[in-house]
Amino acid sequence: MENTGRACAEPGCEEAGEFRAPPLEGPGGRDGPGQFRWFCLEHVRAFNQRYNYFNGMTADEIHQAQRPYAGWERETRAFASAGGDPGPRWSDFSDPLDAIAARYRREPAAERKDGKPLSGQDRESLKTLGLAADADRHALRKRYSELVRRYHPDRNGGDRSQERELQKVIAAYQQLRQAPAFA
């Protein structure tokens, strides 16, 4: 540590006070924390060895402090009742067009009739192909061939404007073809 310009608080010590320790009068009162004491390395080690958190407590107070759930019975600010905590500034934000909340809303996941699970990528690929979650392998092949015919440049007189859509369809089909739900 660098020299702070403070002298060690231990009487008779000439070393620099580089390490802080709690004040003599305790952690502080209503006016904030008390003034810290600064010690050299040797004296802060000695202070730490003789420091006793439970000093001045009765046996019952020590028992209460050492319980496994000590402190958990107090309500924290995040879970406090509405009467005392107004909440964050943005909690009263009005979103009449549902522009923000819609992004984070999850739609209920459609389940397959055969019980095979779908991954998030499976769902995206099905959406790209315009298929329902319970589509079978036959419906997958049929829809794929329809979309390839629709977007392929050879079927559109050489127009390559829909080539990106064709690539998406091919990638979605390749992914779904290997998915466990369609095995």
Side-chain angles (χ1 to χ4, degrees):
M1 299 214 58
E2 61 187 55
N3 192 342
T4 59
R6 298 179 182 91
C8 180
E10 187 72 23
C13 182
E14 300 293 324
E15 296 288 321
E18 298 176 299
F19 304 94
R20 81 180 174 185
L24 280 170
E25 61 277 352
R30 286 184 28 188
D31 299 331
Q35 294 296 316
F36 286 102
R37 295 180 286 169
W38 294 87
F39 291 112
C40 65
L41 181 60
E42 179 184 341
H43 289 117
V44 81
R45 285 180 176 160
F47 171 82
N48 286 339
Q49 284 182 341
R50 68 179 180 261
Y51 183 77
N52 184 359
Y53 176 80
F54 301 108
N55 192 22
M57 290 184 167
T58 66
D60 288 337
E61 290 171 333
I62 292 172
H63 177 71
Q64 284 295 103
Q66 290 180 334
R67 287 182 307 118
Y69 298 112
W72 286 99
E73 62 274 353
R74 292 188 306 259
E75 241 180 33
T76 61
R77 186 178 143 223
F79 298 106
S81 58
D85 185 16
R89 277 192 356 228
W90 51 265
S91 64
D92 60 352
F93 179 77
S94 174
D95 188 14
L97 299 176
D98 198 30
I100 296 170
R103 179 176 182 187
Y104 298 101
R105 187 177 304 115
R106 290 185 177 237
E107 296 176 16
E111 295 300 321
R112 293 178 54 85
K113 291 176 184 165
D114 59 8
K116 293 181 181 177
L118 290 173
S119 69
Q121 192 172 9
D122 292 345
R123 292 179 197 286
E124 284 297 315
S125 296
L126 286 169
K127 191 175 178 182
T128 301
L129 295 176
L131 291 171
D134 62 346
D136 61 354
R137 199 165 177 82
H138 176 72
L140 177 66
R141 280 194 300 261
K142 184 177 176 186
R143 182 66 177 160
Y144 171 69
S145 63
E146 288 173 8
L147 293 175
V148 166
R149 282 194 299 271
R150 180 186 305 169
Y151 295 131
H152 200 280
D154 291 347
R155 300 283 267 179
N156 293 319
D159 182 16
R160 298 177 68 117
S161 64
Q162 296 179 336
E163 194 170 318
R164 184 170 299 278
E165 287 299 316
L166 177 63
Q167 290 172 351
K168 288 181 185 177
V169 167
I170 292 171
Y173 176 72
Q174 292 298 327
Q175 193 274 322
L176 287 172
R177 190 172 64 100
Q178 297 169 357
F182 294 95

